[in-house]
mmCIF file with all atom_site columns, all heavy atoms in Angstrom:
data_model
loop_
_atom_site.group_PDB
_atom_site.id
_atom_site.type_symbol
_atom_site.label_atom_id
_atom_site.label_alt_id
_atom_site.label_comp_id
_atom_site.label_asym_id
_atom_site.label_entity_id
_atom_site.label_seq_id
_atom_site.pdbx_PDB_ins_code
_atom_site.Cartn_x
_atom_site.Cartn_y
_atom_site.Cartn_z
_atom_site.occupancy
_atom_site.B_iso_or_equiv
_atom_site.pdbx_formal_charge
_atom_site.auth_seq_id
_atom_site.auth_comp_id
_atom_site.auth_asym_id
_atom_site.auth_atom_id
_atom_site.pdbx_PDB_model_num
ATOM 1  N N   . VAL Y 1 447 ? 63.420 172.110 66.808 1.00 0.00 ? 612 VAL Y N   1
ATOM 2  C CA  . VAL Y 1 447 ? 64.692 171.416 66.959 1.00 0.00 ? 612 VAL Y CA  1
ATOM 3  C C   . VAL Y 1 447 ? 64.609 170.139 66.132 1.00 0.00 ? 612 VAL Y C   1
ATOM 4  O O   . VAL Y 1 447 ? 63.516 169.616 65.893 1.00 0.00 ? 612 VAL Y O   1
ATOM 5  C CB  . VAL Y 1 447 ? 65.011 171.069 68.433 1.00 0.00 ? 612 VAL Y CB  1
ATOM 6  C CG1 . VAL Y 1 447 ? 65.213 172.309 69.258 1.00 0.00 ? 612 VAL Y CG1 1
ATOM 7  C CG2 . VAL Y 1 447 ? 63.902 170.213 69.027 1.00 0.00 ? 612 VAL Y CG2 1
ATOM 8  N N   . GLY Y 1 448 ? 65.728 169.682 65.710 1.00 0.00 ? 613 GLY Y N   1
ATOM 9  C CA  . GLY Y 1 448 ? 65.703 168.471 64.903 1.00 0.00 ? 613 GLY Y CA  1
ATOM 10 C C   . GLY Y 1 448 ? 67.089 168.034 64.513 1.00 0.00 ? 613 GLY Y C   1
ATOM 11 O O   . GLY Y 1 448 ? 68.099 168.577 64.985 1.00 0.00 ? 613 GLY Y O   1
ATOM 12 N N   . GLY Y 1 449 ? 67.109 167.035 63.666 1.00 0.00 ? 614 GLY Y N   1
ATOM 13 C CA  . GLY Y 1 449 ? 68.388 166.514 63.226 1.00 0.00 ? 614 GLY Y CA  1
ATOM 14 C C   . GLY Y 1 449 ? 68.261 165.851 61.875 1.00 0.00 ? 614 GLY Y C   1
ATOM 15 O O   . GLY Y 1 449 ? 67.164 165.501 61.438 1.00 0.00 ? 614 GLY Y O   1
ATOM 16 N N   . GLN Y 1 450 ? 69.389 165.728 61.238 1.00 0.00 ? 615 GLN Y N   1
ATOM 17 C CA  . GLN Y 1 450 ? 69.450 165.057 59.950 1.00 0.00 ? 615 GLN Y CA  1
ATOM 18 C C   . GLN Y 1 450 ? 70.563 164.021 60.020 1.00 0.00 ? 615 GLN Y C   1
ATOM 19 O O   . GLN Y 1 450 ? 71.719 164.371 60.228 1.00 0.00 ? 615 GLN Y O   1
ATOM 20 C CB  . GLN Y 1 450 ? 69.714 166.070 58.836 1.00 0.00 ? 615 GLN Y CB  1
ATOM 21 C CG  . GLN Y 1 450 ? 68.524 166.989 58.600 1.00 0.00 ? 615 GLN Y CG  1
ATOM 22 C CD  . GLN Y 1 450 ? 68.921 168.302 57.980 1.00 0.00 ? 615 GLN Y CD  1
ATOM 23 O OE1 . GLN Y 1 450 ? 69.981 168.835 58.278 1.00 0.00 ? 615 GLN Y OE1 1
ATOM 24 N NE2 . GLN Y 1 450 ? 68.074 168.843 57.129 1.00 0.00 ? 615 GLN Y NE2 1
ATOM 25 N N   . LEU Y 1 451 ? 70.163 162.779 59.901 1.00 0.00 ? 616 LEU Y N   1
ATOM 26 C CA  . LEU Y 1 451 ? 71.126 161.685 60.005 1.00 0.00 ? 616 LEU Y CA  1
ATOM 27 C C   . LEU Y 1 451 ? 71.600 161.304 58.615 1.00 0.00 ? 616 LEU Y C   1
ATOM 28 O O   . LEU Y 1 451 ? 70.788 160.954 57.750 1.00 0.00 ? 616 LEU Y O   1
ATOM 29 C CB  . LEU Y 1 451 ? 70.477 160.480 60.697 1.00 0.00 ? 616 LEU Y CB  1
ATOM 30 C CG  . LEU Y 1 451 ? 71.388 159.278 60.952 1.00 0.00 ? 616 LEU Y CG  1
ATOM 31 C CD1 . LEU Y 1 451 ? 72.482 159.639 61.945 1.00 0.00 ? 616 LEU Y CD1 1
ATOM 32 C CD2 . LEU Y 1 451 ? 70.568 158.103 61.460 1.00 0.00 ? 616 LEU Y CD2 1
ATOM 33 N N   . HIS Y 1 452 ? 72.891 161.369 58.424 1.00 0.00 ? 617 HIS Y N   1
ATOM 34 C CA  . HIS Y 1 452 ? 73.460 161.088 57.105 1.00 0.00 ? 617 HIS Y CA  1
ATOM 35 C C   . HIS Y 1 452 ? 73.329 159.600 56.792 1.00 0.00 ? 617 HIS Y C   1
ATOM 36 O O   . HIS Y 1 452 ? 73.790 158.748 57.555 1.00 0.00 ? 617 HIS Y O   1
ATOM 37 C CB  . HIS Y 1 452 ? 74.929 161.503 57.105 1.00 0.00 ? 617 HIS Y CB  1
ATOM 38 C CG  . HIS Y 1 452 ? 75.564 161.367 55.771 1.00 0.00 ? 617 HIS Y CG  1
ATOM 39 N ND1 . HIS Y 1 452 ? 76.608 160.515 55.529 1.00 0.00 ? 617 HIS Y ND1 1
ATOM 40 C CD2 . HIS Y 1 452 ? 75.301 161.969 54.594 1.00 0.00 ? 617 HIS Y CD2 1
ATOM 41 C CE1 . HIS Y 1 452 ? 76.959 160.596 54.255 1.00 0.00 ? 617 HIS Y CE1 1
ATOM 42 N NE2 . HIS Y 1 452 ? 76.189 161.474 53.673 1.00 0.00 ? 617 HIS Y NE2 1
ATOM 43 N N   . LEU Y 1 453 ? 72.676 159.291 55.688 1.00 0.00 ? 618 LEU Y N   1
ATOM 44 C CA  . LEU Y 1 453 ? 72.433 157.893 55.327 1.00 0.00 ? 618 LEU Y CA  1
ATOM 45 C C   . LEU Y 1 453 ? 73.446 157.373 54.332 1.00 0.00 ? 618 LEU Y C   1
ATOM 46 O O   . LEU Y 1 453 ? 73.720 156.189 54.265 1.00 0.00 ? 618 LEU Y O   1
ATOM 47 C CB  . LEU Y 1 453 ? 71.028 157.748 54.736 1.00 0.00 ? 618 LEU Y CB  1
ATOM 48 C CG  . LEU Y 1 453 ? 69.877 158.116 55.650 1.00 0.00 ? 618 LEU Y CG  1
ATOM 49 C CD1 . LEU Y 1 453 ? 68.560 157.993 54.910 1.00 0.00 ? 618 LEU Y CD1 1
ATOM 50 C CD2 . LEU Y 1 453 ? 69.865 157.229 56.882 1.00 0.00 ? 618 LEU Y CD2 1
ATOM 51 N N   . GLY Y 1 454 ? 73.991 158.247 53.551 1.00 0.00 ? 619 GLY Y N   1
ATOM 52 C CA  . GLY Y 1 454 ? 74.912 157.834 52.506 1.00 0.00 ? 619 GLY Y CA  1
ATOM 53 C C   . GLY Y 1 454 ? 74.833 158.824 51.368 1.00 0.00 ? 619 GLY Y C   1
ATOM 54 O O   . GLY Y 1 454 ? 73.769 159.399 51.128 1.00 0.00 ? 619 GLY Y O   1
ATOM 55 N N   . ARG Y 1 455 ? 75.960 159.017 50.711 1.00 0.00 ? 620 ARG Y N   1
ATOM 56 C CA  . ARG Y 1 455 ? 76.061 160.075 49.710 1.00 0.00 ? 620 ARG Y CA  1
ATOM 57 C C   . ARG Y 1 455 ? 75.554 161.374 50.311 1.00 0.00 ? 620 ARG Y C   1
ATOM 58 O O   . ARG Y 1 455 ? 76.034 161.798 51.353 1.00 0.00 ? 620 ARG Y O   1
ATOM 59 C CB  . ARG Y 1 455 ? 75.281 159.696 48.445 1.00 0.00 ? 620 ARG Y CB  1
ATOM 60 C CG  . ARG Y 1 455 ? 75.919 158.512 47.699 1.00 0.00 ? 620 ARG Y CG  1
ATOM 61 C CD  . ARG Y 1 455 ? 75.162 158.185 46.435 1.00 0.00 ? 620 ARG Y CD  1
ATOM 62 N NE  . ARG Y 1 455 ? 75.798 157.099 45.705 1.00 0.00 ? 620 ARG Y NE  1
ATOM 63 C CZ  . ARG Y 1 455 ? 76.735 157.278 44.794 1.00 0.00 ? 620 ARG Y CZ  1
ATOM 64 N NH1 . ARG Y 1 455 ? 77.136 158.505 44.504 1.00 0.00 ? 620 ARG Y NH1 1
ATOM 65 N NH2 . ARG Y 1 455 ? 77.268 156.251 44.173 1.00 0.00 ? 620 ARG Y NH2 1
ATOM 66 N N   . ASP Y 1 456 ? 74.546 161.968 49.721 1.00 0.00 ? 621 ASP Y N   1
ATOM 67 C CA  . ASP Y 1 456 ? 74.037 163.222 50.276 1.00 0.00 ? 621 ASP Y CA  1
ATOM 68 C C   . ASP Y 1 456 ? 72.627 163.068 50.814 1.00 0.00 ? 621 ASP Y C   1
ATOM 69 O O   . ASP Y 1 456 ? 71.920 164.057 51.001 1.00 0.00 ? 621 ASP Y O   1
ATOM 70 C CB  . ASP Y 1 456 ? 74.074 164.317 49.197 1.00 0.00 ? 621 ASP Y CB  1
ATOM 71 C CG  . ASP Y 1 456 ? 75.498 164.741 48.890 1.00 0.00 ? 621 ASP Y CG  1
ATOM 72 O OD1 . ASP Y 1 456 ? 76.293 164.816 49.843 1.00 0.00 ? 621 ASP Y OD1 1
ATOM 73 O OD2 . ASP Y 1 456 ? 75.813 164.977 47.718 1.00 0.00 ? 621 ASP Y OD2 1
ATOM 74 N N   . PHE Y 1 457 ? 72.200 161.856 51.050 1.00 0.00 ? 622 PHE Y N   1
ATOM 75 C CA  . PHE Y 1 457 ? 70.844 161.639 51.554 1.00 0.00 ? 622 PHE Y CA  1
ATOM 76 C C   . PHE Y 1 457 ? 70.845 161.611 53.083 1.00 0.00 ? 622 PHE Y C   1
ATOM 77 O O   . PHE Y 1 457 ? 71.779 161.100 53.704 1.00 0.00 ? 622 PHE Y O   1
ATOM 78 C CB  . PHE Y 1 457 ? 70.281 160.328 51.001 1.00 0.00 ? 622 PHE Y CB  1
ATOM 79 C CG  . PHE Y 1 457 ? 69.972 160.383 49.535 1.00 0.00 ? 622 PHE Y CG  1
ATOM 80 C CD1 . PHE Y 1 457 ? 70.884 159.932 48.603 1.00 0.00 ? 622 PHE Y CD1 1
ATOM 81 C CD2 . PHE Y 1 457 ? 68.771 160.923 49.099 1.00 0.00 ? 622 PHE Y CD2 1
ATOM 82 C CE1 . PHE Y 1 457 ? 70.610 160.004 47.246 1.00 0.00 ? 622 PHE Y CE1 1
ATOM 83 C CE2 . PHE Y 1 457 ? 68.479 160.983 47.745 1.00 0.00 ? 622 PHE Y CE2 1
ATOM 84 C CZ  . PHE Y 1 457 ? 69.400 160.532 46.817 1.00 0.00 ? 622 PHE Y CZ  1
ATOM 85 N N   . VAL Y 1 458 ? 69.783 162.143 53.637 1.00 0.00 ? 623 VAL Y N   1
ATOM 86 C CA  . VAL Y 1 458 ? 69.671 162.202 55.095 1.00 0.00 ? 623 VAL Y CA  1
ATOM 87 C C   . VAL Y 1 458 ? 68.269 161.781 55.514 1.00 0.00 ? 623 VAL Y C   1
ATOM 88 O O   . VAL Y 1 458 ? 67.304 161.895 54.752 1.00 0.00 ? 623 VAL Y O   1
ATOM 89 C CB  . VAL Y 1 458 ? 69.949 163.626 55.634 1.00 0.00 ? 623 VAL Y CB  1
ATOM 90 C CG1 . VAL Y 1 458 ? 71.379 164.030 55.381 1.00 0.00 ? 623 VAL Y CG1 1
ATOM 91 C CG2 . VAL Y 1 458 ? 68.981 164.636 55.030 1.00 0.00 ? 623 VAL Y CG2 1
#
Side-chain angles (χ1 to χ4, degrees):
Chain Y
V612 295
Q615 291 156 325
L616 183 65
H617 185 243
L618 299 177
R620 292 182 178 271
D621 289 322
F622 290 96
V623 295

